[in-house]
Amino acid sequence: MRRRTRIPTDGVATPRAGRAMNAPAELIDLIYEAAAVPELWSTVLLQLCGMAGAHAGALTCMDASGLAGYIATDTYEAAYQDYWEHGNAVENVRLERSLRDYPMAFSSDLELCSEAELATDPLYLRFLRPHGLEWTAGTVIPVPSGDLLVFDLATRAGAGRFSREAMALLDRVRPHLARAALLSHRLGRRAAANQAAAMQMVGLPCAVWGRSGRLLATNDLFEALAPRVQFAAFGRLAFADPEVDRLAQAAMASIASEAEPAIRSIPVRAAPDAPALVVHLLPVRRAGGDIFVAAEGVIVVTPVAAPAAPLTQVLMGLFDLTPAEAKVARGIASGLDVQHLAAALALSRETVRSQLKAVLAKTGTRRQAELGLMLTGARPLPDPK
């Protein structure tokens, strides 16, 4: 992500090419196009502003030292420029609370903080209100490097607060934003001359497939995943785990037919000598074909055993869990059983069991203990003989 990018908007969030975009289908295509052509995040931000009734939008990267880079609409640029130069020492409590309370969802500032807290928050007093902005909303996406990607929206002063309905509307495209932003973050907003160069810049195991699932290109990191990743006849890709292979082939077929699959992030269980993985399948759309020529889609594989990564947060963000399912997953990762989870979340055991069943289905795990191992990045014990 470039350190500073200004997006001209003339102060108005307008649809692409001056016409209304059919959300979320056309917006989803645009999001995946931006994954390969990051300059298009400008239009994505404008569409998110329009969906939520926001005046300003930004996509930011936060590292251990604070703001590492951002892309902002023209209406947010002055505030971000000010924050870039003077605000990195100012704590943003909303990031941690968003990860804790809305780990897989957009949320408004007033869902994370009281109005009294925000009235004395230095971010609001020093960097928002002086630039004509009043309320904020957004979502935080942890990535395996330990960085945080943040979609940040703000209202014009006097325009009113964000509604829960607006957050729910944004949640419809959040899983796509998370996957596309991960790839875009790895590409680093640098120009790619060809497929091989683009994949090398990703810095993760990566492959590109074309028609009939035929592999067009792979990088060395992807090939090193063998034998869990296999190269089958006619240049096709296969996975050693039959369930992973079934889900991957279904996702690839649905991407080719432009259908919306149930799962595009697929877990691969840890082995005694290898970490757990998550396989992401991203469609190549529109201008993305200028980089990934003749491609139907891109596969990016995320290892989940890096000790510096916030593993549970990252993993929950990869499987399209709902906010309620994410809370159950986090409880399982912390060692709670269904009874204690129900008490902690003030839910019935039947409700928790239902949500746990959904989490198991989305993560491809079969048992609660197996889910806990995956969410903590642990490696399973060898099978008893």
Side-chain angles (χ1 to χ4, degrees):
M1 186 177 290
R2 189 175 288 170
R3 291 174 71 87
R4 290 183 293 178
T5 302
R6 181 175 179 272
I7 303 167
T9 65
D10 297 326
V12 180
T14 55
R16 189 182 191 198
R19 60 186 177 87
M21 181 170 287
N22 296 323
E26 191 175 348
L27 175 56
I28 290 170
D29 273 0
L30 176 63
I31 289 168
Y32 286 117
E33 188 180 13
V37 187
E39 287 72 16
L40 294 175
W41 280 115
S42 60
T43 308
V44 173
L45 290 170
L46 294 177
Q47 292 298 318
L48 297 180
C49 286
M51 290 173 70
H55 176 63
L59 169 58
T60 73
C61 176
M62 311 294 293
D63 62 17
S65 63
L67 182 64
Y70 69 88
I71 304 166
T73 62
D74 185 53
T75 46
Y76 225 160
E77 175 62 26
Y80 264 92
Q81 173 80 22
D82 194 0
Y83 181 71
W84 178 268
E85 296 176 355
H86 308 109
N88 257 9
V90 178
E91 181 184 9
N92 186 348
V93 298
R94 290 171 296 138
L95 298 179
E96 181 180 351
R97 294 183 187 183
S98 176
L99 287 170
R100 181 192 67 200
D101 298 334
Y102 292 86
M104 280 295 299
F106 276 83
S107 58
S108 68
D109 47 10
L110 288 169
E111 291 175 310
L112 303 175
C113 303
S114 69
E115 193 164 347
E117 284 182 289
L118 296 177
T120 59
D121 189 320
L123 282 174
Y124 283 65
L125 293 176
R126 293 172 53 186
F127 305 109
L128 283 172
R129 305 286 162 74
H131 295 287
L133 303 171
E134 189 164 9
W135 306 108
T136 68
T139 189
V140 182
I141 301 167
V143 295
S145 64
D147 294 343
L148 299 175
L149 302 180
V150 183
F151 285 90
D152 179 25
L153 305 175
T155 65
R156 189 198 307 266
R161 308 172 181 188
F162 286 104
S163 68
R164 169 76 340 235
E165 291 74 18
M167 300 300 98
L169 183 60
L170 292 170
D171 284 341
R172 295 175 61 190
V173 296
R174 188 192 181 281
H176 306 286
L177 291 170
R179 278 187 284 266
L182 170 65
L183 179 58
S184 187
H185 177 59
R186 286 290 181 157
L187 285 172
R189 293 184 54 79
R190 291 176 290 176
N194 52 49
Q195 292 174 165
M199 293 194 324
Q200 193 67 25
M201 293 192 314
V202 171
L204 291 170
C206 184
V208 180
W209 84 86
R211 290 185 178 179
S212 302
R214 184 186 180 96
L215 287 177
L216 302 178
T218 61
N219 65 8
D220 293 342
L221 292 172
F222 191 87
E223 294 179 8
L225 295 175
R228 289 196 283 178
V229 170
Q230 301 174 348
F231 302 95
F234 307 109
R236 295 175 64 88
L237 173 69
F239 291 87
D241 186 317
E243 181 65 11
V244 173
D245 192 59
R246 182 186 69 80
L247 294 172
Q249 298 304 329
M252 292 168 70
S254 67
I255 286 173
S257 65
E258 298 190 352
E260 178 66 15
I263 298 176
R264 276 193 186 152
S265 293
I266 303 167
V268 179
R269 296 174 184 83
D273 59 348
L277 307 170
V278 182
V279 176
H280 310 278
L281 295 103
L282 295 81
V284 171
R285 293 290 185 259
R286 298 188 286 208
D290 295 340
I291 292 178
F292 299 114
V293 180
E296 292 280 355
V298 178
I299 297 174
V300 179
V301 180
T302 306
V304 299
L311 293 177
T312 302
Q313 297 285 9
V314 171
L315 284 170
M316 288 190 301
L318 300 179
F319 298 120
D320 299 357
L321 304 184
T322 67
E325 292 164 356
K327 290 181 180 180
V328 168
R330 186 171 56 203
I332 295 298
S334 65
L336 296 177
D337 58 19
V338 170
Q339 180 177 345
H340 289 92
L341 257 177
L345 298 175
L347 298 172
S348 70
R349 281 180 287 183
E350 290 72 22
T351 298
V352 172
R353 287 194 186 97
S354 176
Q355 292 171 345
L356 177 57
K357 183 178 179 180
V359 172
L360 292 174
K362 289 183 178 182
T363 59
T365 51
R366 299 181 180 89
R367 298 182 303 276
Q368 183 174 322
E370 187 179 357
L371 174 65
L373 288 172
M374 173 174 290
L375 290 175
T376 56
R379 297 180 181 181
L381 297 175
D383 291 334
K385 301 299 183 183

